[in-house]
Amino acid sequence: MTKKITLLSSLASLAVLSTSLTAAESDLQAQIDALNAKIEKMEKVNSYQNKQISKVNQQSANDNIKWTIDYRAAYDNLNYKYLDDAKKGDGTDDTANAGETYTNPALLTSRLWLGMAASPFEGLTFRGQLAVYGYWGAENTNETSDKSWRGSSRPHDWTVRLREGNFVYKFGNDWAVPMAASVGRRPASMGFLANHRDGDARPNSPLAHITNMEVDAAMVMFDFAEALLPGSYLKVVYGRAHDPVAVGSTTPYIDPELADSYDGPVDFLVLPMSIYNDGQSNLMAQYAMIFNSKGTRISDGKIKSAAGTTHMGALSYQLDGLNEDIDFLDSSTLFASAAATMTDPDSGYEMLGSTESETGYSFWAGFLFPDMMTDGGRFGVEYNWGSKYWTPMTWAEDTVIGSKIATRGSAYEGYWNIPIEGKNLSAQLRYTYIDYDYRANTTCYWDDPADKNLDSAQDIRLYVRYQY
């Protein structure tokens, strides 16, 4: 009897314990459910907050427009010497200037570039730049004859102009050949090799030997760095350098003279390419074709006619660090470049005073080395040579006396780039001398190089520059 009572008591205890456990389990499950509900709610709140943060970042924080400043004040002493038998562009005697020498002892200029950049998300970037480039005492009037491809690259008035405005969209980062696309206005000046003269560490992509101008164009880039050679890429650029629209006419944006092909639009195709770049050796090339290049119509002597096609090509090489064991040579840079241009006039037209296809050649070399007096200062010497028909696209300023790169003859240049306060404040002292063998290269393709005008030109320049 006692055993039965004990057994019943144990069973009762187990029952009570089982009930308690069931209740505890139920309570625990309730707590777990409550926690899950809280976590789910927190995740929703977190997701909402992330979206709000992203919107705020896009509007103000991470993706705001970032501005840069590049201000330069320059002094130039200019000198032009005309030939004793100087000719005008039409080949007649230049009786007003022959044998004369003209000097401007002090041309004072200021140039301001305001750069802007924004990236709303990875892979998409906008870049812009506003430019003002005027000489001291200039009248603030637009020169309507000035072209957009040099509007902010030569000094004249104090009008603010758009020098750069384009977006770059990169895609296919996991592809063997990633790509990028861009449309807009770009400063295709200060390109490869020209950057050294102003102490800019990074050049723009075009080869300065045949391209130094501002362009409106679309671009597709193929990055071959992983698939082929280190640093290799190809850009395909198509744009317009001249449009003959008559805005003030009764038929806006239609030029009636287009009917006889007197002044057609000028388009261009440019293929800049990096062949190899390991950080020490840099080899680049470029091909360009200009459609409807300007020239002279033989039937009536009209210049600036759509006269034919122009081809250009260049191969440029730069070596940084000539000898690692010698500090002086390790901080030195040597470069050389060869280029050619070829004009191909249509029937009934002349280009560069010829009805035949003509080829011009050019060579450019430079050497930069430490000044051994300042921290980062460098001396540079450069030499350019061009033949009779040498005519590149270098209409933006590389010197205020005219493009030394486009010289038909020899150009000699020496400069000293001086850092005053790191990269923010610098100065330059430069001397350029041009010895002309043929006509100064100041027009597109309607002048005859045989109609010589200048004997020589020289420029002594001093500038200070602030960058931030």
Side-chain angles (χ1 to χ4, degrees), residues 154-420:
R154 291 184 180 181
H156 36 79
D157 58 30
W158 295 96
T159 301
V160 179
R161 294 179 171 85
L162 179 66
R163 186 168 182 266
E164 180 178 12
N166 64 78
F167 71 85
V168 179
Y169 178 54
K170 297 180 179 179
F171 56 97
N173 289 331
D174 55 344
W175 298 354
V177 180
M179 299 173 63
S182 174
V183 176
R185 182 167 181 77
R186 62 193 64 240
S189 55
M190 294 296 175
F192 185 51
L193 302 185
N195 58 302
H196 296 301
R197 305 170 70 239
D198 284 323
D200 294 328
R202 297 186 58 185
N204 286 326
S205 62
L207 270 66
H209 205 161
I210 55 174
T211 303
N212 191 52
M213 56 188 291
E214 301 167 32
V215 301
D216 301 293
M219 181 274 292
V220 177
M221 173 182 154
F222 303 89
D223 186 351
F224 295 112
E226 298 295 331
L228 296 176
L229 299 173
S232 60
Y233 66 79
L234 169 66
K235 292 183 178 180
V236 180
V237 183
Y238 191 93
R240 175 157 295 180
H242 170 75
D243 196 311
V245 295
V247 178
S249 72
T250 55
T251 53
Y253 312 115
I254 299 175
D255 188 342
E257 293 183 333
L258 270 178
D260 63 359
S261 298
Y262 164 59
D263 188 19
V266 179
D267 289 355
F268 57 84
L269 171 69
V270 183
L271 305 177
M273 62 196 81
S274 173
I275 299 173
Y276 179 83
N277 184 3
D278 64 359
Q280 182 179 25
S281 294
N282 191 352
L283 179 63
M284 295 190 69
Q286 182 171 311
Y287 167 77
M289 175 186 289
I290 304 176
F291 308 97
N292 289 330
S293 295
K294 298 303 181 184
T296 305
R297 188 164 61 184
I298 298 174
S299 60
D300 53 14
K302 282 189 174 181
I303 64 172
K304 303 182 181 180
S305 296
T309 307
T310 303
H311 304 271
M312 303 178 181
L315 184 66
S316 304
Y317 174 70
Q318 173 182 313
L319 175 62
D320 292 302
L322 308 185
N323 189 321
E324 295 180 355
D325 298 328
I326 304 174
D327 291 341
F328 177 82
L329 293 178
D330 192 39
S331 300
S332 299
T333 298
L334 182 68
F335 67 80
S337 179
T341 60
M342 186 184 77
T343 50
D344 186 14
D346 297 334
S347 177
Y349 293 87
E350 284 185 348
M351 297 176 69
L352 300 178
S354 174
T355 58
E356 304 294 328
S357 179
E358 304 289 356
T359 302
Y361 303 95
S362 176
F363 176 74
W364 181 14
F367 179 53
L368 292 93
F369 51 95
D371 63 12
M372 309 298 285
M373 294 180 287
T374 64
D375 184 14
R378 299 219 287 178
F379 289 117
V381 290
E382 297 187 12
Y383 173 73
N384 292 77
W385 173 84
S387 68
K388 180 179 180 180
Y389 292 105
W390 166 242
T391 309
M393 300 184 293
T394 54
W395 296 298
E397 173 191 302
D398 60 50
T399 76
V400 288
I401 53 175
S403 173
K404 70 141 190 163
I405 297 174
T407 298
R408 295 165 178 149
S410 296
Y412 308 87
E413 188 171 71
Y415 48 86
W416 181 18
N417 291 326
I418 312 163
I420 299 174

